[in-house]
Amino acid sequence: MNVSKCSSVLHGRFYPCFFNSIKQTKIPKRALTTQPNRSCDLDVETLSANRDPSPWKICAAVCLIRLPILTTELEEIEKKYAELSDLNEYERSVLSDWEVEKNRQANLIRDIESGEKNPEDMDFKVANQDIEEMNELEAQQFYEENETITIEDSDRTNINRQPNETLVMVTQQKLGKDNVWMLPVEPWSKEETLRECAERALISHCGTDVGAAFISNGPSGFYKYKFPKDARENSLVGAKLFIYNAYLPRVFIKDSKFTFPTKLCEDKVLQHAWLTKDELKSFTKPKFTNVIKKILL
């Protein structure tokens, strides 16, 4: 018997027996023991089934942001740099088609006024120079009407307060016997993703009229806290918050202001406030404030 026949016989006799023995043998999943420098085979599925439920409630929260409505006024050094950049760009630029046509129209008007050309040679109805002057007049009227915006900044429920700052919405919720300022939050259920839970939290707290846009499918921050002893149920010691970032798009109406529901869900929210970064520390705990500030960056 040659080598190839011996190999085929061995393969035919050995490997089926080997694979059959593997199928009949239950191989437990590999895991490490708690003892240092030792490892052994443990049945992870059995351990997971016998494991006590987590003492933490999984929740999803929403950091709802209102972006600045007005552009922040430039400082003196920023104004000088902007002027220098504009001058540099102007000196290195060439005339655009609009400017070339404007110069041609100006020369044609001058020739007609001097008598070198006839009025019938005018081939345009409205000069580019006249269009620019009308646009400048319209822009000037817009600046004059919107130069001073008087908004009562002390009313923290007004979404249009602090127009030059970024605001975040916090809600006052009942936690045991205490009233705590938190982000809109809801407990997670197994039938939904964390993103869906965050969307449900926003709807349940603010209603369906809020056209918020979520930035991503993943959370932007994490925070955990313990419940007061009188608020603990089902052996839960606290909650783990997976915080999603959402913002209100700049949808301007006639008054260039955002709209927001004036009445929130009373069974979820006692009251709400739109706060700046500096105001957060007066409402929320320091660790929670730092988490929100990192999201706002």
Side-chain angles (χ1 to χ4, degrees), residues 201-217:
L202 191 60
I203 293 175
S204 63
H205 283 72
C206 305
T208 58
D209 297 333
V210 181
F214 282 78
I215 292 180
S216 65
N217 292 326

Side-chain angles (χ1 to χ4, degrees), residues 133-151:
E133 291 177 356
M134 287 188 295
N135 292 338
E136 291 177 359
L137 180 61
E138 184 178 354
Q140 184 64 29
Q141 293 177 352
F142 174 80
Y143 291 139
E144 291 176 357
E145 294 174 358
N146 297 273
E147 186 174 359
T148 57
I149 298 179
T150 57
I151 298 176

Side-chain angles (χ1 to χ4, degrees), residues 27-33 38-44 47:
I27 301 177
K29 295 183 180 180
R30 191 76 172 173
L32 294 177
T33 64
R38 288 191 59 188
S39 65
C40 64
D41 290 327
L42 299 176
D43 193 345
V44 179
L47 291 176

Side-chain angles (χ1 to χ4, degrees), residues 16-113:
C17 299
F18 177 72
F19 287 112
N20 290 335
S21 62
I22 290 179
K23 292 179 180 180
Q24 296 174 0
T25 305
K26 182 181 179 181
I27 301 177
K29 295 183 180 180
R30 191 76 172 173
L32 294 177
T33 64
T34 56
Q35 300 179 6
N37 302 325
R38 288 191 59 188
S39 65
C40 64
D41 290 327
L42 299 176
D43 193 345
V44 179
E45 295 178 357
T46 303
L47 291 176
S48 301
N50 299 331
R51 183 181 177 183
D52 295 334
S54 174
W56 297 91
K57 178 185 287 187
I58 305 300
C59 301
V62 182
C63 181
L64 183 60
I65 296 173
R66 190 225 66 185
L67 299 173
I69 301 175
L70 300 179
T71 304
T72 306
E73 187 177 355
L74 298 179
E75 297 180 0
E76 192 63 30
I77 188 172
E78 293 175 331
K79 292 179 180 179
K80 292 182 179 179
Y81 181 77
E83 293 175 357
L84 180 61
S85 299
D86 293 341
L87 179 61
N88 188 24
E89 181 180 359
Y90 177 77
E91 292 177 348
R92 296 188 178 187
S93 63
V94 296
L95 294 178
S96 63
D97 295 340
W98 176 273
E99 293 170 323
V100 172
E101 177 63 17
K102 184 176 71 172
N103 293 338
R104 187 191 71 82
Q105 293 174 357
N107 294 332
L108 181 59
I109 293 174
R110 185 175 62 253
D111 294 340
I112 293 174
E113 292 177 349

Side-chain angles (χ1 to χ4, degrees), residues 6-21:
C6 291
S7 176
S8 62
V9 171
L10 289 175
H11 283 212
R13 292 180 181 178
F14 175 72
Y15 282 105
C17 299
F18 177 72
F19 287 112
N20 290 335
S21 62

Side-chain angles (χ1 to χ4, degrees), residues 121-140:
D121 295 334
M122 185 175 293
D123 55 356
F124 57 89
K125 294 182 179 180
V126 182
N128 289 10
Q129 181 65 36
D130 295 335
I131 295 176
E132 289 183 359
E133 291 177 356
M134 287 188 295
N135 292 338
E136 291 177 359
L137 180 61
E138 184 178 354
Q140 184 64 29

